[in-house]
Amino acid sequence: MLPLDRWAAGAVERDVAVGEAVLAVEVSADGEDIAMVVAGRTTRGIHVQLVDEMAGFTVADVVGKIVRLRDQLRGDGFGLAAVVLDRDWHGNVLAPELMLVNIEPVLATGANVASAYAVTRQAVRDGTLTHDVSGSWGQELQLATLRDEGKKFECIDRYSGRVPALVAMTLAVWGLGRYAAESELGARKAVEEAPVNPRGTLPRFKTKQDWKGGVSRAS
């Protein structure tokens, strides 16, 4: 799994300045819980934050939260660059409803899910990934095991326990890398909105806000 000593060293309680954000949404194996994690670029590398968890949910509930987060980020002076879902997992039921609110989700394949775990693990090892201090991280790290360990498509085993936040984190990190690469090629955002981020201004992940540490613009 993730190296626990390096993970612990990446905990950050203060506000963290970030660039545009990518959101990943993951549903637990039993379909009962959902986690929403945001990743953004920092001067150090990547910062991830667990912005919401729900025990028991409806598609309308989750889509509504995503729309409110999109609008909050837009109001704070930057944007939600993409929303990532696993194409072959429970969360894919959100895709049609997101399209209706002008959000075209990025649908990760099985190979992408494995790549997401690999790039996240490497970032933790390198000390370039920081995270908020939500208690859910530690709880899920205690439960999580690997599927296909040591093989090409090694990834977090979703059936090892309730680990939606960890899986969502890896997808958000992967999605952020994909967005950065596509931005260099001039690809459009999956979440359409007018560019409103003033030049030189970085928003911040807050430690306490309505979204359990949502995002607001740097002062």
Side-chain angles (χ1 to χ4, degrees):
M1 275 302 298
L2 304 179
L4 296 181
D5 56 338
R6 301 297 290 168
W7 173 262
V12 177
E13 295 188 34
R14 65 182 185 280
D15 295 356
V16 177
V18 298
E20 287 184 298
V22 168
L23 170 70
V25 182
E26 169 71 6
V27 180
S28 60
D30 61 8
E32 294 296 324
D33 299 331
I34 200 163
M36 299 167 60
V37 175
V38 172
R41 291 282 178 191
T42 69
T43 54
R44 177 175 173 177
I46 298 170
H47 184 73
V48 295
Q49 185 143 334
L50 179 59
V51 293
D52 204 7
E53 297 175 288
M54 299 172 65
F57 64 92
T58 67
V59 170
D61 289 338
V62 179
V63 171
K65 285 179 177 289
I66 294 171
V67 169
R68 289 193 294 276
L69 178 59
R70 177 194 63 183
D71 294 344
Q72 177 189 330
L73 299 184
R74 181 183 298 171
D76 285 337
F78 73 122
L80 181 61
V83 175
V84 181
L85 306 172
D86 185 337
R87 184 189 67 183
D88 302 314
W89 194 244
H90 308 318
N92 62 12
V93 298
L94 299 171
E97 297 302 317
L98 288 172
M99 294 288 286
L100 294 177
V101 292
N102 204 31
I103 297 175
E104 180 184 345
V106 176
L107 299 178
T109 65
N112 296 150
V113 172
S115 177
Y117 169 68
V119 297
T120 302
R121 179 182 58 189
Q122 191 60 52
V124 173
R125 288 175 174 174
D126 293 343
T128 57
L129 186 143
T130 58
H131 57 88
D132 68 321
V133 293
S134 168
S136 293
W137 298 127
Q139 294 169 15
E140 294 194 11
L141 281 168
Q142 293 296 319
L143 294 172
T145 60
L146 294 177
R147 188 186 73 187
D148 295 331
E149 186 170 1
K151 298 181 180 179
K152 181 178 180 180
F153 295 113
E154 178 181 66
C155 61
I156 296 172
D157 186 352
R158 286 162 158 142
Y159 293 99
S160 56
R162 292 184 183 274
V163 292
L166 285 181
V167 176
M169 173 187 65
T170 66
L171 291 173
V173 171
W174 171 82
L176 186 65
R178 169 176 167 153
Y179 171 71
E182 291 187 351
S183 294
E184 292 180 1
L185 298 174
R188 70 177 177 85
K189 294 183 187 179
V191 180
E192 297 290 356
E193 58 186 86
V196 293
N197 190 33
R199 183 179 296 276
T201 299
L202 286 174
R204 292 179 181 270
F205 282 142
K206 302 292 289 183
T207 55
K208 290 184 179 180
Q209 223 181 46
D210 291 342
W211 281 83
K212 293 181 63 181
V215 183
S216 72
R217 187 165 50 192
S219 57

